[in-house]
Amino acid sequence: MTGPVLEIERYTLDYQTGRSTLRVLDDISLDISAGEVVGLVGESGSGKSSLAWAIMRHLAGNARERGGQLRLDGEDLRGLSSSRLQALRGSRLAMIFQDPSAALNPTLSIGEQVAEVLVRHQGLSLREAWARGVALLGGVELKSPEAMMRRYPHELSGGEKQRVLISTAFACRPRCLIFDEPTTALDVISAAQILALFTRLREETGVSALYISHDLALVSRVADRVAILERGRLVESAPAATIFSAPAHEYTRRLVSAVPDPARRLIDQPPASATALLEIHKLGVSYGRPGFVDRLFGRASETTQALRELTMTLSPAEVVGVVGESGSGKSSLAKALVGLTPFAGEIRFEGRVLSNAAGMNRAYRRQVQMVFQHPDASLNPRQRIGEQLARPLRLYGLAPGESEKHAVARWLEEVRLPAEFASRYPHELSGGQKQRVAIARAFAARPALVICDEITAALDVSVQATVIELLLELRKRHGTAYLFITHDLNLVRQIAHRIAVMYRGDLVEMIDAATLDARGASHPYTRALLEAVPRPLRGHPAPSSLQGTP
Amino acid sequence: MPDSLKRLLRSPQGMIGAVILLACLVLVLLGPWLAPYDHQALSITERYRPPGAEHWLGTDQLGRDIASRILVGARATILLSLLATGLAMLIGAMLGTACAYLGGRFDEVMMRTMDALMSIPSLLFALLIVSTLGKSGMNAVLAITVSFIPGMVRIARSVALAQRRQDYVGAAIARGESSLWIVSRELLPNIAAPIIVEATIRVAFAIMLFATLSFLGLGAQPPAPEWGLMVAEARGYFFQAPWMMLMPGLAIALVAIGFNLLGDGLRDALNPRSGER
């Protein structure tokens, strides 16, 4: 096959909002050759999903196409009738979504949904389609595909659902596939398995693909070529092998330097630990309480054990990273430590033994602060930034000789925000700015330990980098210890002294970051986790040899 | 607050609602002084006069000026409805937030009681209360209040429950704030908007319920110039003098529409996010 499969030529798209128009895609030109995988990387709001929907010809009602062409095998997609488009979608052009649970109909069995595609686009009878479906599910490494066909989406895990969707997308031998953040909603290990599956299917079928993601490290592993989108403009398009080693555009350079790289440690001086700051002894958290009927009949009730007998020690000014998949109990640990959930076991702090949340006195509340994942939720939407920053000051006192107004301004300055933000409401700030306010609020109590629960997960990479930089600077200035909870192993290896690896409520390994770098992990789960994390493809002496076959 | 007021007046519904209610406020405050005639003055010669230059809205079967009666009656009708809704809002919001915050057995007992109250249609329930306590305007207010409380409790509770799960409540607990602070300063401002909107819309229902009770002879008693009562009294003369029923009916409709529009406008104006873009 000669010529590109998908051609995007000088494509421009606006969104009409009220009286003004917002340019989402500006003069985009991008070709995807047969068998090539092009990665499209951009931060939120860069227009990457809009491009995907423009190619699928399913744009929002307020979208206005200002020019340019979209061609699949030389056929102009923009001029197609809706019946032609329907025949095209799912057969020659297919799309895989971020959230597999939203993309499957919860009221139809997997088999019905897979067979429907085959009946519709390949003209098979229902019986043939069902048989093909079983073969397809087997092809994406799903166990017992026949039983799987009769199941409903809620009976499958996220990774399994994504496999089902991939199998249907590949079923009709599409010319081009569009992936919109297909692994973002999955945990690290399932994501790695999905990527391995995609790589295999791609070799077998020679499909072309547009792989959209915010994760540059991941895209550099998956794609042959990477295109960088910044606010609707395509700023750079380069082979995946060279994007990390030789980023040409200034924005790409910024993006590359923001991607966490475990080889680049951002923290030094292991703390001189004479005494422990906080000792956690056999901490357990369980959810669900016995129901009324259960208690009446003395029945044993089902409670979920979110955290089992966790024991660890934190030293002053130490950064301990906690990593694990969703449901591993990391957030339960954080909530127990600040008394937001009942717990079993003991917390020892400054010579005091705490066995329940009621035992947490003012001194403990002041010294142990928490920053939450979503700044939208953790800042009260109806209070001005200044009022919220003043609360810890009012509760725990001001520095001598400082007025409350000055203290608020100083804390805003410490997190590098202008002082006039004090009179604003949270919704007037960007995500990164809100998270800075939340950090300032935690630090205003002058704590000894700050618990950070996935605080950068909702932020873009470049914003994440600046927030991390801020945290490290504050630590240097105030000597604060961090319990840094994250799913991002690369990030935690950059900034933590020790890393706690959690799996389904158990602490499986506590390892020094230095030891991890030098000797690798000892526990098999940690090793699996390490292998699953996509590490940025760094430059090698001969990048051309690493290039994928276009 | 000035911001939300500005936003309220910028939306067409909010603007119209505010104008109508401002006019109502004038009626409530100055009605008796604005009335061109004495609202109780009888006149044998002036009976059944259609609306005209002398009597703007006509006269009734006893020769009383309808315009004057509507102007004077505004106070009773609107104030009593507002009182009933306000009471229901206060009690309902307090109970609902308490249910959401305390949870457990208190919540369970409270909500089942509310379910039981809700299973009786509100008009029937109001009738029951008034017929037990006796006919009077204040008893009608009480009846409306009680029949509105379950709905307000449910709304306050559901909104408060959603807010309780937000991280800012967790952040406040972790910061060591007292429960009183969390409920009054963190939770309440965030649930006030939907409750106020709900209450505004319910005022319209209260006016109509109040008029219904008066129509049935269980609310205001003759010769009070209450609007619902005026409609009831005019029933017998509908073919002879339709304006007798039409005029107070229009007044009720206008006020109800005013509150409804204001409620719609407030819903948008009180949401701090709606100011963006």
Side-chain angles (χ1 to χ4, degrees):
Chain A
M1 177 68 69
T2 54
V5 172
L6 183 75
E7 289 169 89
I8 304 164
E9 203 181 305
R10 305 190 69 91
Y11 187 72
T12 300
L13 182 75
D14 283 351
Y15 280 143
Q16 190 90 36
T17 54
R19 263 155 277 149
S20 60
T21 55
L22 182 73
R23 180 135 299 185
V24 259
L25 293 170
D26 194 0
D27 204 15
I28 303 282
S29 296
L30 189 67
D31 290 351
I32 301 178
S33 324
E36 190 186 28
V37 176
V38 173
L40 187 65
V41 179
E43 306 200 317
S44 50
S46 61
K48 48 193 196 304
S49 287
S50 295
L51 184 61
W53 288 115
I55 296 167
M56 291 304 287
R57 306 308 303 148
H58 185 83
L59 285 164
N62 62 346
R64 304 278 177 277
E65 293 180 293
R66 301 295 185 204
Q69 287 193 310
L70 303 166
R71 280 191 298 269
L72 183 70
D73 285 330
E75 187 176 20
D76 188 6
L77 292 171
R78 285 186 63 187
L80 286 183
S81 67
S82 59
S83 59
R84 286 280 295 135
L85 267 176
Q86 279 169 17
L88 191 83
R89 285 189 202 132
S91 59
R92 281 164 62 206
L93 194 59
M95 185 158 169
I96 311 259
F97 300 89
Q98 174 171 354
D99 186 359
S101 9
L104 284 169
N105 186 335
T107 58
L108 293 178
S109 71
I110 298 297
E112 285 170 275
Q113 302 189 47
V114 173
E116 189 199 343
V117 177
L118 298 168
V119 171
R120 169 132 175 68
H121 289 299
Q122 303 211 315
L124 300 182
S125 74
L126 192 58
R127 187 182 295 272
E128 290 166 335
W130 195 274
R132 265 299 307 282
V134 173
L136 280 173
L137 293 190
V140 290
E141 296 151 26
L142 280 168
K143 291 183 197 80
S144 57
E146 271 150 61
M148 194 66 85
M149 291 287 274
R150 283 189 298 276
R151 287 205 205 145
Y152 284 87
H154 69 269
E155 298 173 286
L156 272 60
S157 74
E160 285 172 330
K161 276 183 251 191
Q162 201 60 292
R163 276 164 201 268
V164 169
L165 288 169
I166 290 177
S167 78
T168 49
F170 273 95
C172 300
R173 302 261 149 185
R175 294 285 294 141
C176 183
L177 267 172
I178 298 170
F179 290 86
D180 190 0
E181 307 249 9
T183 60
T184 308
L186 305 177
D187 60 64
V188 191
I189 290 180
S190 337
Q193 287 165 347
I194 292 289
L195 287 180
L197 171 71
F198 169 59
T199 313
R200 201 201 73 199
L201 287 174
R202 186 196 151 192
E203 272 162 20
E204 285 171 15
T205 60
V207 71
S208 310
L210 181 67
Y211 194 103
I212 296 172
S213 177
H214 67 283
D215 188 341
L216 193 54
L218 182 146
V219 167
S220 74
R221 292 276 163 188
V222 172
D224 304 314
R225 205 146 51 82
V226 180
I228 311 280
L229 204 58
E230 184 203 10
R231 289 195 204 153
R233 287 179 155 275
L234 209 57
V235 296
E236 185 170 357
S237 171
T242 62
I243 198 100
F244 267 101
S245 53
H249 192 271
E250 196 245 316
Y251 177 73
T252 318
R253 273 200 292 276
R254 227 168 353 122
L255 217 54
V256 164
S257 66
V259 172
D261 181 357
R264 197 158 43 95
R265 297 267 296 160
L266 294 174
I267 201 159
D268 41 2
Q269 90 260 20
S273 59
T275 51
L277 173 71
L278 185 81
E279 285 172 69
I280 301 165
H281 187 67
K282 292 202 170 177
L283 190 77
V285 172
S286 57
Y287 291 117
R289 62 190 171 113
F292 174 69
V293 179
D294 287 340
R295 259 182 304 167
L296 201 66
F297 294 102
R299 227 183 281 163
S301 57
E302 279 182 31
T303 54
T304 317
Q305 195 76 27
L307 197 62
R308 260 183 301 268
E309 303 212 332
L310 179 132
T311 301
M312 66 161 87
T313 311
L314 273 94
S315 307
E318 186 187 29
V319 181
V320 174
V322 180
V323 289
E325 299 171 6
S326 48
S328 63
K330 5 185 242 305
S331 281
S332 298
L333 169 66
K335 282 186 181 158
L337 284 180
V338 293
L340 289 180
T341 187
F343 59 88
E346 286 173 355
I347 299 169
R348 291 182 201 141
F349 179 77
E350 286 189 336
R352 274 170 55 92
V353 177
L354 306 170
S355 54
N356 55 38
M360 292 178 181
N361 60 358
R362 274 175 66 83
Y364 181 86
R365 294 276 191 200
R366 180 177 80 75
Q367 301 256 36
V368 180
Q369 291 287 320
M370 178 157 168
V371 181
F372 294 80
Q373 175 174 3
H374 295 290
D376 287 320
S378 68
L379 296 180
N380 191 328
R382 296 215 172 254
Q383 289 177 3
R384 291 176 199 275
I385 301 300
E387 295 169 52
Q388 312 207 31
L389 282 180
R391 279 317 291 171
L393 299 170
R394 231 175 259 174
L395 281 171
Y396 302 117
L398 295 156
E402 196 176 31
S403 75
E404 188 177 289
K405 208 171 153 221
H406 279 121
V408 168
R410 182 171 60 83
W411 279 111
L412 280 172
E413 196 191 317
E414 285 226 20
V415 294
R416 293 183 221 136
L417 291 175
E420 64 260 26
F421 272 25
S423 58
R424 296 211 186 163
Y425 283 102
H427 69 89
E428 295 170 283
L429 272 57
S430 74
Q433 288 169 338
K434 275 182 269 197
Q435 199 59 288
R436 279 157 192 271
V437 172
I439 291 169
R441 185 175 63 178
F443 272 89
R446 285 167 282 126
L449 169 68
V450 173
I451 297 163
C452 304
D453 187 5
E454 296 267 18
I455 64 166
T456 60
L459 305 175
D460 279 324
V461 216
S462 61
V463 183
Q464 166 178 301
T466 58
V467 168
I468 294 295
E469 196 192 317
L470 174 72
L471 277 181
L472 296 178
E473 197 186 295
L474 286 169
R475 174 180 166 273
K476 215 178 269 175
R477 207 176 305 154
H478 301 281
T480 325
Y482 290 124
L483 189 69
F484 197 89
I485 295 169
T486 181
H487 66 277
D488 189 339
L489 204 53
N490 284 340
L491 174 65
V492 91
R493 288 179 69 182
Q494 275 192 297
I495 61 167
H497 298 119
R498 284 188 299 154
I499 298 169
V501 182
M502 302 200 43
Y503 181 66
R504 298 201 179 166
D506 289 310
L507 177 67
V508 296
E509 189 169 10
M510 184 73 157
I511 187 167
D512 268 11
T515 319
L516 188 64
D517 289 343
R519 287 205 298 275
S522 53
H523 195 279
Y525 177 70
T526 316
R527 274 204 296 275
L529 209 56
L530 275 174
E531 276 161 26
V533 175
R535 295 179 65 175
L537 192 61
R538 288 284 163 189
H540 292 278
S544 56
S545 64
L546 277 170
Q547 232 167 307
T549 46
Chain B
M1 218 52 194
D3 293 355
S4 23
L5 196 67
K6 219 178 285 168
R7 278 204 296 271
L8 174 71
L9 296 182
R10 214 178 296 147
S11 74
Q13 313 101 299
M15 187 69 202
I16 298 170
V19 166
I20 293 177
L21 293 182
L22 211 64
C24 289
L25 187 73
V26 172
L27 291 195
V28 168
L29 290 177
L30 305 173
W33 290 279
L34 289 177
Y37 298 91
D38 177 4
H39 73 282
Q40 286 180 332
L42 309 183
S43 166
I44 305 294
T45 53
E46 297 288 306
R47 287 162 54 186
Y48 309 122
R49 283 288 159 91
E54 205 174 329
H55 296 285
W56 302 336
L57 303 180
T59 59
D60 65 6
Q61 79 279 16
L62 301 172
R64 295 175 293 192
D65 182 49
I66 292 179
S68 304
R69 283 175 66 74
I70 287 180
L71 285 172
V72 175
R75 191 173 283 181
T77 312
I78 297 176
L79 278 191
L80 290 184
S81 316
L82 273 179
L83 182 67
T85 323
L87 278 177
M89 177 178 84
L90 276 180
I91 299 172
M94 262 155 48
L95 286 179
T97 320
C99 280
Y101 194 71
L102 297 175
R105 204 159 293 169
F106 178 79
D107 183 31
E108 198 73 15
V109 170
M110 210 60 227
M111 290 322 287
R112 294 301 80 78
T113 316
M114 292 301 146
D115 286 347
L117 286 183
M118 263 184 139
S119 62
I120 310 168
S122 59
L123 181 61
L124 204 64
F125 193 61
L127 279 176
L128 193 78
I129 293 173
V130 176
S131 52
T132 326
L133 296 177
K135 303 182 228 177
S136 87
M138 279 328 278
N139 281 347
V141 168
L142 193 71
I144 294 170
T145 305
V146 174
S147 65
F148 275 6
I149 284 177
M152 295 305 286
V153 170
R154 286 210 150 244
I155 285 163
R157 178 176 175 271
S158 66
V159 183
L161 269 183
Q163 291 297 326
R164 223 206 109 129
R165 270 184 235 119
Q166 295 284 314
D167 281 343
Y168 68 82
V169 179
I173 296 172
R175 194 163 66 222
E177 302 275 13
S178 66
S179 302
L180 189 67
W181 171 275
I182 293 172
V183 170
S184 64
R185 299 304 299 278
E186 303 277 346
L187 272 175
L188 266 180
N190 281 293
I191 64 167
I195 290 176
I196 290 174
V197 171
E198 174 69 18
T200 321
I201 290 170
R202 264 173 194 262
V203 174
F205 283 102
I207 290 175
M208 288 189 279
L209 199 55
F210 201 72
T212 313
L213 284 176
S214 298
F215 179 86
L216 294 170
L218 295 168
Q221 298 300 311
E226 204 276 328
W227 296 352
L229 189 61
M230 286 167 73
V231 174
E233 285 179 329
R235 192 174 28 161
Y237 313 97
F238 183 69
F239 292 105
Q240 221 169 338
W243 57 87
M244 271 174 68
M245 188 183 252
L246 215 56
M247 294 309 166
L250 276 179
I252 293 174
L254 198 65
V255 176
I257 289 170
F259 274 108
N260 261 325
L261 289 177
L262 187 78
D264 277 355
L266 275 179
R267 181 172 46 214
D268 299 336
L270 286 177
N271 182 356
R273 278 160 221 266
S274 62
E276 293 170 78
R277 255 176 285 190

